[in-house]
Amino acid sequence: MAVETAPVRAHLKALRLHGRKNIQLDNVAPRKCGHDEVRLQIAFCGICGTDIHEYLGGPIFAPQPGMKNKVTGIELPVILGHEFSGTVIELGQSVKSLKYGQRVIVNPALDERHLGMKPCSPCQTGCYNICKRSVTYGLSAEGGGFCEQSVVKATSCIPLPDSVSLKVRALSEPLAVAWHCIRVSGFKQGQTALILGAGPIGLAILCLLKVWGAAKTIISEVTEARIDQARKFGADAVVNPLEPLTGDREDEVTDPVVAACRDLTGGDGVDVSFDATGMQSTLDAAIAAAKPRGIIFNVAIHERPLLLNLNLLAQQEKSIKAGISYTNEDFHAVLKVLAEGKIPAEQLVTSVVPLSDVLQGGFMELINNKAQHVKILIQPDPDV
């Protein structure tokens, strides 16, 4: 039995993935709020590149047609959306950590703690983001954010500082991804960095590297709109890798991105290269641009395998690292940054679209005009 509840609607509007290139705005019945769960009135939910990949090329993380997820048991259609903020409007009977009316963000990653299972070895060491049974709200677990309301585990909710708006708080998930990548890379104050790709995560890394005290940041990007955004967010240099170098160089470098990294670092290269694109050309540039004993950090999710010449790493003792998702540590760090106003978070939101227009104004807009946007947020339509 749940306690402290607001009226629950008979039907809710929700965007569901039915299969590849098949998403529909459906009427769905609200889920029951379990003893350890809360019901949220959704405030905002961001469209992630993963959502676009699920629509265009999926299901990927969502269940395959005719199959059920082995951990959660859910099957298509699935309510999408995993970057969301909201207000608690119902509390499960055993929930003591939250209160009615509290504003929260959701860490959408679920591990054995949430699932009532024996912890795997990564979970035993606190690496919950690489849990062997990890599932995600809005992809492989019920509780997606492209809906008017959602039911999630109370332990998935992180209370928000009053100084941060629900709109900005919806950016916490992609910012947590970026923070986690910087943290896991081993980046230190005063170091230099290259970011390959000025999409939402690349720009988030750029903004947060400033907070970490980066000495120099270089962005590689091919689209004019995103080049302008990278400059606006404070990159020390923005390079279009498709524009050839002019003149001869003593170091015989021909890649304009590598040349810029050498020029801004006294000839050595950067301490860390963050590949937020995931192409063969960006991997090659990331390796070449890193200084001896530098770090190449993979941020991207790849659509196909890439080739790697390990000799390029061994000859200068360069290292490749990678990261995925986040832990609550990353969310708390990001919320502190937002509360202190250390990054221009509002400027990362390029459009707010009502749930009723999520198909054309959200998904199709990102697919057709991706370079014009950093983050599109979806907001439930106001009650009539």
Side-chain angles (χ1 to χ4, degrees), residues 206-226:
L206 170 63
C207 291
L208 292 174
L209 279 171
K210 298 293 184 180
V211 177
W212 279 72
K216 296 288 183 182
T217 52
I218 302 103
I219 287 273
S220 171
E221 177 56 55
V222 298
T223 64
E224 284 301 320
R226 287 185 167 177

Side-chain angles (χ1 to χ4, degrees), residues 319-336:
S319 301
I320 286 188
K321 293 184 175 182
I324 191 74
S325 300
Y326 29 65
T327 64
N328 275 6
E329 175 184 348
D330 303 302
F331 274 98
H332 287 296
V334 163
L335 287 173
K336 186 174 185 294

Side-chain angles (χ1 to χ4, degrees), residues 124-135:
Q124 290 174 14
T125 58
C127 300
Y128 301 110
N129 59 310
I130 52 174
C131 169
K132 294 179 179 179
R133 299 180 185 88
S134 180
V135 290

Side-chain angles (χ1 to χ4, degrees), residues 305-370:
L306 304 181
L307 298 175
L308 174 62
N309 183 351
L310 290 173
N311 287 336
L312 297 176
L313 303 178
Q315 288 165 0
Q316 294 189 324
E317 294 191 349
K318 299 180 182 182
S319 301
I320 286 188
K321 293 184 175 182
I324 191 74
S325 300
Y326 29 65
T327 64
N328 275 6
E329 175 184 348
D330 303 302
F331 274 98
H332 287 296
V334 163
L335 287 173
K336 186 174 185 294
V337 168
L338 292 174
E340 294 173 352
K342 290 185 176 179
I343 63 172
E346 288 275 357
Q347 296 179 37
L348 292 169
V349 179
T350 47
S351 183
V352 178
V353 176
L355 182 60
S356 57
D357 191 32
V358 63
L359 296 173
Q360 292 302 318
F363 275 66
M364 292 303 111
E365 174 64 19
L366 270 180
I367 290 168
N368 296 324
N369 300 295
K370 178 174 67 173

Side-chain angles (χ1 to χ4, degrees), residues 89-298:
I89 60 171
E90 183 177 349
L91 292 160
Q93 190 173 23
S94 63
V95 175
K96 306 299 182 185
S97 58
L98 299 170
K99 59 185 179 180
Y100 184 85
Q102 196 163 16
R103 299 186 298 176
V104 300
I105 56 169
V106 174
N107 179 341
L110 298 168
D111 54 66
E112 282 111 340
R113 294 174 300 170
H114 306 88
L115 302 168
M117 298 178 177
K118 182 180 178 181
C120 61
S121 54
C123 286
Q124 290 174 14
T125 58
C127 300
Y128 301 110
N129 59 310
I130 52 174
C131 169
K132 294 179 179 179
R133 299 180 185 88
S134 180
V135 290
T136 304
Y137 290 128
L139 292 167
S140 47
E142 287 188 296
F146 293 137
C147 188
E148 295 171 302
Q149 297 176 3
S150 183
V151 173
V152 299
K153 297 288 187 183
T155 50
S156 297
C157 298
I158 302 173
L160 300 170
D162 292 336
S163 59
V164 183
S165 70
L166 281 166
K167 178 181 176 182
V168 167
R169 292 165 185 175
L171 299 172
S172 299
E173 195 271 354
L175 287 170
V177 170
W179 187 276
H180 183 79
C181 289
I182 297 171
R183 179 168 66 85
V184 174
S185 75
F187 185 88
K188 295 179 177 59
Q189 182 179 2
Q191 289 188 326
T192 56
L194 165 66
I195 306 163
L196 295 124
I201 299 300
L203 290 175
I205 291 174
L206 170 63
C207 291
L208 292 174
L209 279 171
K210 298 293 184 180
V211 177
W212 279 72
K216 296 288 183 182
T217 52
I218 302 103
I219 287 273
S220 171
E221 177 56 55
V222 298
T223 64
E224 284 301 320
R226 287 185 167 177
I227 286 172
D228 291 341
Q229 290 166 347
R231 290 186 177 128
K232 180 176 72 173
F233 288 117
D236 294 290
V238 184
V239 185
N240 185 336
L242 302 182
E243 294 182 357
L245 289 172
T246 57
D248 297 327
R249 295 176 58 93
E250 290 185 6
D251 58 10
E252 299 183 346
V253 169
T254 58
D255 186 316
V257 175
V258 178
C261 291
R262 297 272 181 89
D263 292 345
L264 265 70
T265 59
D268 279 342
V270 295
D271 293 286
V272 184
S273 295
F274 294 94
D275 184 2
T277 300
M279 299 171 60
Q280 186 67 55
S281 59
T282 56
L283 173 62
D284 294 342
I287 294 172
K291 73 178 188 180
R293 289 205 163 186
I295 302 294
I296 298 89
F297 195 90
N298 178 70

Side-chain angles (χ1 to χ4, degrees), residues 12-127:
L12 302 169
K13 288 288 186 183
L15 181 72
R16 297 199 294 178
L17 176 73
H18 289 257
R20 183 172 298 181
K21 294 187 177 179
N22 185 2
I23 53 175
Q24 300 175 28
L25 191 60
D26 298 327
N27 283 317
V28 299
R31 285 180 56 217
K32 180 182 177 182
C33 184
H35 73 94
D36 60 348
E37 296 178 317
V38 295
R39 188 182 308 279
L40 302 180
Q41 180 66 43
I42 302 298
F44 297 94
C45 185
I47 301 179
C48 176
T50 301
D51 298 314
I52 300 297
H53 285 305
E54 288 290 332
Y55 168 68
L56 291 176
I60 303 170
F61 296 108
Q64 294 297 311
M67 304 291 288
K68 293 184 178 182
N69 182 278
K70 293 181 180 179
V71 176
T72 62
I74 71 164
E75 56 188 334
L76 295 177
V78 172
I79 299 174
L80 292 174
H82 57 275
E83 301 180 358
F84 56 104
S85 62
T87 302
V88 176
I89 60 171
E90 183 177 349
L91 292 160
Q93 190 173 23
S94 63
V95 175
K96 306 299 182 185
S97 58
L98 299 170
K99 59 185 179 180
Y100 184 85
Q102 196 163 16
R103 299 186 298 176
V104 300
I105 56 169
V106 174
N107 179 341
L110 298 168
D111 54 66
E112 282 111 340
R113 294 174 300 170
H114 306 88
L115 302 168
M117 298 178 177
K118 182 180 178 181
C120 61
S121 54
C123 286
Q124 290 174 14
T125 58
C127 300

